[in-house]
Structure formats: C-alpha cells, structure tokens
Amino acid sequence: MSVQKKLLTFAAPLALLALSACATGFPTQVSRFQAMPAPQGQTFIIQAARAQDRGGLEFARYADLVRRHLLARGYQEASSPEAATLAVTLDYGVDNGREKIVTYPSMGYGRFGWYDPFYPGFRRHAFAWGWNDPFWYGGGYDIDSYTLYTSYLDMDIKRTVDGQSLFEGTAKARSTTDSLQTLVPNLIEAMFTGFPGNSGETVKITVPPQGKRATASRY
C-alpha cells in the first residue's frame, strides 16, 4: 500500500488529534490484530518492508528500538535469518503536510502565549487582555498558520515456517513536525505500549516525555 493511501485512510477522532493536548505528550492512535504466542524461546529477525530502507543506517536505528522491546518481552534475537521463527517487518513514513489556518479574536495590546515543545511552530494563546477587547468593542481577528503532518508506523509479525500472520499493527499520529527521527521512535513506543494488545482494538496512546509512563485509553 502506498504512503499516500495509508495516510489518506487515517480518520482518527478530532479529540485524539487536538493540538491543545500535546503539551503533556505525543498522542497516537494504535490499531492491532494479534494471535501472538507467549514467549517460549521464539527467535526473531527484523526486516524493512521497502527495498530502499534495507541496509540503511536510519532503518537500523529504528530496528534496534524494536529489537529492544521484543527482547524485554522475552523473545530472542535469531543468530541468522534461517534460524528465525518470527519475521518482523517494519514500514514507516510521513506525508507532505497540509497547511492549517487558525483565527482568533484580536486582543490588541497584551496578547500572550506559549510554544509547544512537541509541536514546534504552533503557537497557542493562554490568555489575553487589553483596551481593544473585541467582546466589548467589536475588534477584528488575528490569523496564525501551521503545517500539519500525518505519520505512520506499520509492524507485521509472521511465522517463518509457514508465513502465518501473528501480529498486524499500525500506529498513526498528526504533528507539526515531519522529522522521522522524532516521529518513528515515538510511534514505536506507542506500538509496544500494552503489546501485543487486544486483537481488533484501536486505542489512543499518549507517549509521555522521557521518564514518565505512557497512557492508553480505548475508543
């Protein structure tokens, strides 16, 4: 499936994607179908879904993050592709973004705000006051614009002996950064929060700042 098709089919609830909630973490939507066996000595390899990622240093970084999660859950890394009982396939990407326009009442003198470190470039105004209050004097409107990007991570796990699918997961997010180096590690963290999860369930998972625990909620 093309990157464009994956991203166009992303229709998460607006509450999940509200930028006002991003100051405390990185919000994602995670869907998982799974029939994963309990860890009993199974070995795994990690491979890229797309040929251009195979052997790449960037992919190797993300594969290592997945590897660490699987090891922590009791699975073992295979000594060679031939020795693996599980094949883990990764795919990821981000679109070209869409410009968003935000309008708000012009407060004239005394407008204040802050910047969200998880979503650089998007300004949200905490409060405002001044002599030119539109609620009293019918002032105009100010406009801010930002670019909103949609990113995804797909992770599939199959049994190597017969190709039987054991896990199919997708993590998605919207943000004002298109940096895969920022997005993919967060999407991986979301994918493994509560892994392997309940089959057929879609959950909202907020990846917190470093040192805090992730939170998950069901739709």
Side-chain angles (χ1 to χ4, degrees):
M1 182 182 294
S2 68
V3 171
Q4 290 81 3
K5 187 173 182 180
K6 287 177 184 292
L7 299 176
L8 287 174
T9 57
F10 180 23
L14 291 178
L16 167 65
L17 305 173
L19 293 175
S20 61
C22 298
T24 57
F26 183 88
T28 68
Q29 172 185 291
V30 179
S31 300
R32 295 178 283 212
F33 294 86
Q34 65 93 8
M36 286 291 290
Q40 295 178 334
Q42 298 95 330
T43 59
F44 65 85
I45 58 168
I46 301 172
Q47 57 193 17
R50 292 179 291 175
Q52 61 264 38
D53 292 329
R54 295 169 192 166
L57 294 176
E58 183 177 6
F59 175 80
R61 179 195 173 200
Y62 307 143
D64 185 60
L65 294 175
V66 171
R67 168 184 166 274
R68 291 168 184 262
H69 280 289
L70 291 171
L71 291 174
R73 284 157 178 80
Y75 299 97
Q76 300 177 19
E77 187 173 15
S79 58
S80 67
E82 294 74 22
T85 57
L86 302 175
V88 182
T89 303
L90 297 179
D91 189 21
Y92 50 85
V94 62
D95 69 3
N96 293 322
R98 291 179 295 169
E99 186 178 15
K100 296 291 183 179
I101 305 296
V102 178
T103 62
Y104 49 88
S106 176
M107 298 299 181
Y109 173 77
R111 189 177 67 189
F112 294 88
W114 73 91
Y115 290 85
D116 189 330
F118 282 87
Y119 294 90
F122 176 64
R123 180 173 59 201
R124 289 176 292 143
H125 298 283
F127 54 86
W129 70 81
W131 303 111
N132 196 23
D133 190 335
F135 293 99
W136 291 94
Y137 300 107
Y141 287 85
D142 288 338
I143 297 175
D144 275 344
S145 66
Y146 60 96
T147 302
L148 187 65
Y149 300 94
T150 302
S151 56
Y152 76 91
L153 170 79
D154 282 348
M155 186 174 78
D156 297 333
I157 302 176
K158 293 184 178 181
R159 227 166 30 205
T160 57
V161 65
D162 57 5
Q164 176 65 42
S165 182
L166 300 175
F167 182 89
E168 299 172 358
T170 300
K172 300 176 182 179
R174 289 180 181 171
S175 65
T176 57
T177 177
D178 61 349
S179 170
L180 289 175
Q181 293 89 340
T182 298
L183 296 167
V184 176
N186 279 291
L187 292 170
I188 291 172
E189 187 68 28
M191 182 72 76
F192 279 97
T193 298
F195 179 86
N198 298 320
S199 189
E201 186 175 63
T202 297
V203 293
K204 296 183 294 183
I205 295 175
T206 299
V207 178
Q210 189 173 7
K212 297 184 179 180
R213 294 186 60 183
T215 60
S217 59
R218 294 173 176 81
Y219 287 106

